[in-house]
Amino acid sequence: MKPEQLQEEIVTILQENSRIEVQQLADMLGVTAQAVEKQLKELQEKRIILRFGTVVNWQKLGRQKVYALIDVKITPQRGHGFDALAKRIYRFPEVHSVYVMSGTYDLSVGLEVDSLEAVGRFVTEKLSPLDSVVSTTTHFVLKKYKEDGVIFDDPENDQRLVISP
């Protein structure tokens, strides 16, 4: 298997289960554990794999988190476009994600904070005062159904009657 193909296979498997053991991964791919470790190191050095993560349902732990999506209209900076402002925004610790968007707004900023007040403070004290920010529209996530491919709802028991001909 070519190294590029091996890397793609590794990434595909890790995207579904980042806790898989190196030896199990090697067995699945028909290569040695050393070959997998070498490819993992290279994938991380090239910043193809950026981190290994866990999706947490904070509500089940009794901890409330507030998730907000903020649409931002900006004036692009000469020579930098949207990149310079996006970089300033994604450096704030409460910012979970930043995307450049097509459509009415230029950037979409995702926040993960502990209160509605924290969202308000972020928008009024940090985001809106930035040069080039023209306007913002804030949306609050009321319920998460699925994130990063993980379904949050408990599996439902099918209550329908089985009818066979």
Side-chain angles (χ1 to χ4, degrees):
M1 183 180 306
K2 293 181 182 179
E4 299 83 24
Q5 186 181 2
L6 179 58
Q7 287 182 353
E8 190 172 328
E9 293 289 331
I10 290 170
V11 170
T12 301
I13 293 168
L14 288 176
Q15 194 171 19
E16 287 298 315
N17 179 9
S18 64
R19 293 185 55 166
I20 192 168
E21 299 287 332
V22 171
Q23 186 60 55
Q24 186 179 1
L25 193 53
D27 293 343
M28 291 172 69
L29 297 170
V31 298
T32 66
Q34 292 81 10
V36 170
E37 287 174 347
K38 178 183 176 196
Q39 294 304 320
L40 283 171
K41 183 178 179 190
E42 187 175 318
L43 286 164
Q44 291 175 55
E45 288 172 353
K46 288 182 176 178
R47 294 190 45 82
I48 294 169
I49 293 178
L50 300 173
R51 74 176 176 127
F52 297 89
T54 302
V55 177
V56 178
N57 187 343
W58 288 104
Q59 192 172 12
K60 286 197 173 201
L61 281 174
R63 185 165 173 208
Q64 294 297 321
K65 289 275 192 175
V66 176
Y67 300 92
L69 301 171
I70 305 167
D71 295 327
V72 185
K73 186 178 251 333
I74 67 172
T75 303
Q77 297 176 335
R78 186 176 302 257
H80 299 284
F82 301 119
D83 295 343
L85 188 60
K87 187 175 185 178
R88 287 185 67 189
I89 293 169
Y90 71 58
R91 290 178 183 252
F92 291 117
E94 56 269 76
V95 173
H96 189 265
S97 57
V98 178
Y99 306 100
V100 67
M101 305 296 289
S102 64
T104 306
Y105 293 91
D106 303 307
L107 297 176
S108 181
V109 177
L111 290 187
E112 181 179 323
V113 293
D114 293 327
S115 68
L116 293 172
E117 293 81 12
V119 174
R121 280 192 307 275
F122 175 79
V123 172
T124 59
E125 297 172 11
K126 295 180 178 180
L127 184 60
S128 293
L130 292 174
D131 292 337
S132 303
V133 171
V134 176
S135 67
T136 64
T137 301
T138 304
H139 308 275
F140 292 97
V141 175
L142 301 177
K143 181 177 180 180
K144 284 188 182 183
Y145 291 99
K146 186 175 183 178
E147 180 177 297
D148 289 334
V150 177
I151 297 171
F152 276 63
D153 287 340
D154 288 328
E156 295 180 21
N157 293 329
D158 193 352
Q159 299 295 322
R160 297 176 291 174
L161 293 175
V162 177
I163 299 174
S164 57

